[in-house]
Amino acid sequence: MIDMKPPLTHKVPQHIAIIMDGNGRWAQSRGEPRVHGHRSGAQRVREVVEAAGQQGVKVLTLYAFSEENWQRPIEEVHALFSLLVSYLREEIERLHENGVQLCSIGAIEKLPEDCQQWLRVVEERTRSNQGLKLVLALSYSSRTDILRAVRGIAAAVKEGTLDEQSIGEATINSYLSTNLLPEPDLLIRTSGEQRLSNFLLWEMAYTEFYFTKVHWPDFSRADLEAALSDYAERERRFGSIHPQ
Ligand code: IPE
Ligand code: IPE
Ligand code: MG
């Protein structure tokens, strides 16, 4: 049968944010330890990064570890960071060849030293690439980021370098760790939960939400394309009465 779906060239989200959830449940449903789910989840990142770039997405922000995730058992935390190091080590050349530019947001200084080092290496290697911007949110908390911005703004006012009356949304944007990124157009959360879990709270004021029951280790290129098709059907009005 001929596929009559229109091509996805129009209304491609510029920036997609993904809460990669459900690794633990995916593993538990197979009688495997949670870390097995994280390992399979890490394998999915490659496919989704590649597919997003091919679809014309400009920025992909992946929520990989939240500030709250430090409360997990130490063995799980260690396993997650060792998977991150393996990902960075194995993917550095492929990312570079595909023109991906990698960067990170969050309290990177809290990460294990080898993780920080590998992040620096990959960021440096891919710095001048012009393709997909891949943002890893690590030890990230949106409220902490907003708090940091508020403190920075207060300090600037106190120093006299910022006039209180001139503080606007753009000022707040400029103090957030996401200051160089466009706001997300589409948020995807896998595994059925319908919450933000402290992710990009200020930035997602007008983001479209897409929730799927698929666990992250099963989330494929086809699932990403389904989310993009869904997004393409939506009418974004931003408070006006006309689509924008
Ligand atoms: C997402 O999967 C990975 C991280 C939060 C690091 P989970 O580990 O949260 O999986 P579930 O939600 O327990 O199934
Ligand atoms: C959010 O998932 C964080 C990441 C995916 C990195 P969690 O599984 O930690 O969130 P909650 O606990 O369900 O809110
Ligand atoms: Mg979870």
Side-chain angles (χ1 to χ4, degrees):
M1 210 174 86
I2 300 168
D3 186 357
M4 296 299 284
K5 270 190 292 187
L8 284 174
T9 45
H10 72 298
K11 285 182 75 180
V12 173
Q14 239 201 111
H15 181 177
I16 302 183
I18 306 186
I19 302 177
M20 306 183 291
D21 198 16
N23 293 349
R25 278 164 282 170
W26 182 90
Q28 274 157 357
S29 73
R30 285 164 171 74
E32 301 278 358
R34 293 177 56 84
V35 48
H36 181 67
H38 295 315
R39 206 173 298 120
S40 300
Q43 295 299 321
R44 280 296 174 187
V45 173
R46 179 182 307 144
E47 180 177 336
V48 171
V49 166
E50 205 173 274
Q54 286 165 356
Q55 293 286 349
V57 173
K58 299 277 180 282
V59 183
L60 178 65
T61 302
L62 300 178
Y63 204 6
F65 193 85
S66 71
E67 195 173 280
E68 291 77 14
N69 288 149
W70 288 111
Q71 298 168 57
R72 294 188 178 199
I74 189 73
E75 303 76 33
E76 179 166 344
V77 170
H78 281 158
L80 282 164
F81 287 118
S82 113
L83 283 166
L84 174 63
V85 168
S86 305
Y87 173 80
L88 294 169
R89 198 199 310 247
E90 284 163 24
E91 289 303 298
I92 179 165
E93 286 314 317
R94 191 197 308 260
L95 290 170
H96 184 56
E97 278 159 24
N98 290 337
V100 174
Q101 186 193 34
L102 184 121
C103 56
S104 56
I105 54 173
I108 303 304
E109 71 283 357
K110 291 190 184 158
L111 269 45
E113 195 51 48
D114 60 337
C115 256
Q116 294 188 43
Q117 267 170 16
W118 271 100
L119 279 169
R120 279 195 293 269
V121 168
V122 182
E123 281 178 26
E124 189 50 47
R125 179 89 172 118
T126 62
R127 188 179 299 283
S128 32
N129 288 343
Q130 300 293 315
L132 178 79
K133 191 173 201 138
L134 174 61
V135 184
L136 299 181
L138 294 162
S139 191
Y140 176 84
S141 148
S142 185
R143 286 187 173 177
T144 300
D145 205 32
I146 293 169
L147 269 169
R148 216 181 31 79
V150 169
R151 290 202 187 104
I153 291 169
V157 170
K158 200 169 160 193
E159 277 169 18
T161 51
L162 182 65
D163 169 23
E164 183 190 328
Q165 291 308 315
S166 72
I167 298 172
E169 287 191 14
T171 321
I172 297 180
N173 286 336
S174 72
Y175 276 83
L176 292 173
S177 62
T178 49
N179 70 89
L180 297 175
L181 309 174
E183 288 175 12
D185 300 295
L186 175 65
L187 167 79
I188 299 173
R189 182 167 187 152
T190 58
S191 210
E193 310 302 350
Q194 302 189 7
R195 54 177 171 253
L196 290 179
S197 302
N198 207 359
F199 191 37
L200 304 173
L201 304 180
W202 168 273
E203 295 85 343
M204 295 210 282
Y206 265 106
T207 298
E208 296 292 325
F209 289 178
Y210 181 87
F211 298 109
T212 168
K213 290 208 161 67
V214 176
H215 296 308
W216 177 253
D218 284 332
F219 191 83
S220 65
R221 174 184 290 269
D223 292 305
L224 179 74
E225 286 169 4
L228 291 176
S229 300
D230 194 278
Y231 174 84
E233 300 292 320
R234 297 189 189 191
E235 193 178 275
R236 300 181 75 188
R237 290 189 291 271
F238 298 93
S240 81
I241 56 169
H242 302 295
Q244 309 265 307

